[in-house]
């Protein structure tokens, strides 16, 4: 969407602040022995307590077999995105877990994700994967300028993956949002400078680089929601909602 009304912008900022605080609490709770179902319950409780509404719970986009059954997407190791929380999924030390969460406040949607290593920094490969993916998000945000193009973002993200010797998951990426959890355009994590839809002031975008240690190819799991790496390699995913201003991108969901 193009955010023009001051009330919409303020609701975006308020929702973004709530989401950032909830994600921080969830990251602190992501310890060995904790189930992803427990994290999901905490996410919903924290969101509702703040006066917001979970965006993913019962969300059914076009093409989905059934509504998403949780407030939180919790994806572990080779699970790339949309991992469904479960009492059977118990976090172990060294796991890379991505916590992807959305909410609405005052009718405005925000979306953010962080990947963390359970129990600390993890092995050298995990550290590189998380560092690179988070760096790609920072670079992608810096490349988001009014008057530019979405290809500028993809080119910046892909360059970081190449620098670290990692792969981009080409099929997945960011998106616009605002009045709905997902809107057009799709923001690919691979692109060419100057190509793609034009970026204009007021756009609300969720940028989300997704890198893997392997080839970057993915499959849809039997639950019809979770995407996993085809080669079993680990993945990481960082995401922030931004508002395009005349001076650059304002981060609505700061880490």
């Amino acid at each position: 969407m193009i955010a023009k009304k001051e009330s919409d912008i303020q609701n975006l900022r308020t929702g973004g602040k709530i989401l950032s605080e909830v994600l921080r609490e969830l990251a602190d709770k992501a310890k060995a022995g904790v189930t992803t179902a427990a994290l999901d319950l905490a996410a919903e409780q924290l969101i509702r307590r703040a006066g917001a509404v979970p965006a993913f719970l019962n969300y059914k986009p076009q093409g989905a077999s059934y509504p998403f059954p949780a407030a939180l997407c919790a994806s572990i190791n080779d699970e790339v995105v949309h991992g469904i929380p479960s009492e059977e999924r118990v976090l172990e030390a060294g796991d890379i877990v991505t916590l992807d969460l959305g909410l609405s406040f005052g009718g405005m949607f925000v979306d953010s994700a962080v990947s963390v290593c359970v129990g600390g920094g993890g092995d050298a490969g995990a550290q590189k994967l998380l560092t690179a993916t988070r760096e790609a998000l920072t670079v992608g945000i810096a490349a988001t300028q009014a008057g530019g193009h979405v290809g500028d973002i993809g080119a910046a993200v892909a360059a970081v993956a190449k620098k670290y010797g990692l792969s981009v998951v080409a099929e997945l990426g960011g998106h616009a949002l605002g009045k709905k959890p997902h809107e057009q355009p799709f923001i690919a994590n691979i692109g060419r400078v100057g190509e793609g839809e034009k970026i204009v002031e007021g756009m609300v975008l969720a940028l989300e680089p997704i890198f893997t240690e392997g080839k970057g190819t993915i499959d849809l799991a039997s639950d019809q929601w979770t995407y996993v790496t085809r080669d079993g390699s680990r993945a990481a995913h960082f995401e922030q909602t931004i508002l395009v201003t005349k001076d650059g991108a304002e981060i609505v969901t700061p880490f």
Side-chain angles (χ1 to χ4, degrees):
M1 70 166 288
I2 307 298
K4 295 181 179 179
K5 293 173 60 177
E6 187 59 32
S7 59
D8 286 342
I9 293 172
Q10 288 305 317
N11 285 332
L12 273 173
R13 289 170 174 157
T14 301
K17 184 172 184 289
I18 293 169
L19 182 53
S20 295
E21 291 172 353
V22 172
L23 266 183
R24 177 182 53 78
E25 291 199 41
L26 294 180
D28 288 343
K29 293 177 183 293
K31 301 181 185 300
V34 173
T35 68
T36 54
L39 294 177
D40 174 57
L41 178 61
E44 183 175 359
Q45 290 176 336
L46 289 166
I47 288 171
R48 295 193 187 280
R49 194 177 300 158
V53 179
F56 300 163
L57 182 62
N58 296 320
Y59 177 57
K60 188 177 185 293
Q62 185 176 0
S65 299
Y66 59 95
F68 192 76
L72 174 72
C73 296
S75 307
I76 303 172
N77 295 329
D78 67 328
E79 296 175 342
V80 183
V81 292
H82 305 161
I84 299 175
S86 166
E87 291 287 357
E88 284 70 49
R89 297 307 306 273
V90 181
L91 298 181
E92 298 180 4
D95 281 343
I96 295 175
V97 58
T98 296
L99 307 170
D100 186 0
L101 192 63
L103 61 78
S104 66
F105 182 86
M108 298 299 292
F109 286 87
V110 289
D111 197 352
S112 187
V114 296
S115 291
V116 298
C117 191
V118 177
D123 57 43
Q127 291 179 29
K128 182 176 83 166
L129 180 61
L130 267 60
T131 296
T133 312
R134 185 161 181 167
E135 181 181 317
L137 177 57
T138 300
V139 168
I141 291 172
T144 308
Q145 300 288 330
H149 295 79
V150 296
D152 304 348
I153 302 169
V157 169
V160 176
K162 183 177 181 180
K163 181 177 78 170
Y164 283 90
L166 299 169
S167 295
V168 173
V169 177
E171 296 97 323
L172 304 173
H175 53 91
L177 72 169
K179 293 294 186 180
K180 299 177 182 178
H182 290 85
E183 300 177 6
Q184 293 296 323
F186 172 73
I187 312 294
N189 288 316
I190 296 176
R192 293 183 179 180
V193 173
E195 294 188 355
E197 185 162 336
K198 191 172 183 179
I199 300 170
V200 299
E201 185 179 347
M203 270 186 167
V204 183
L205 304 174
L207 305 190
E208 43 186 319
I210 304 168
F211 290 174
T212 78
E213 295 177 307
K215 295 182 178 180
T217 51
I218 58 174
D219 290 313
L220 184 62
S222 59
D223 65 16
Q224 296 300 301
W225 270 102
T226 308
Y227 281 96
V228 298
T229 58
R230 188 170 298 166
D231 55 15
S233 61
R234 297 181 296 185
H237 171 200
F238 286 85
E239 176 183 16
Q240 287 180 311
T241 297
I242 62 173
L243 172 66
V244 179
T245 76
K246 66 181 190 308
D247 300 316
E250 174 187 338
I251 298 174
V252 176
T253 53
F255 291 146

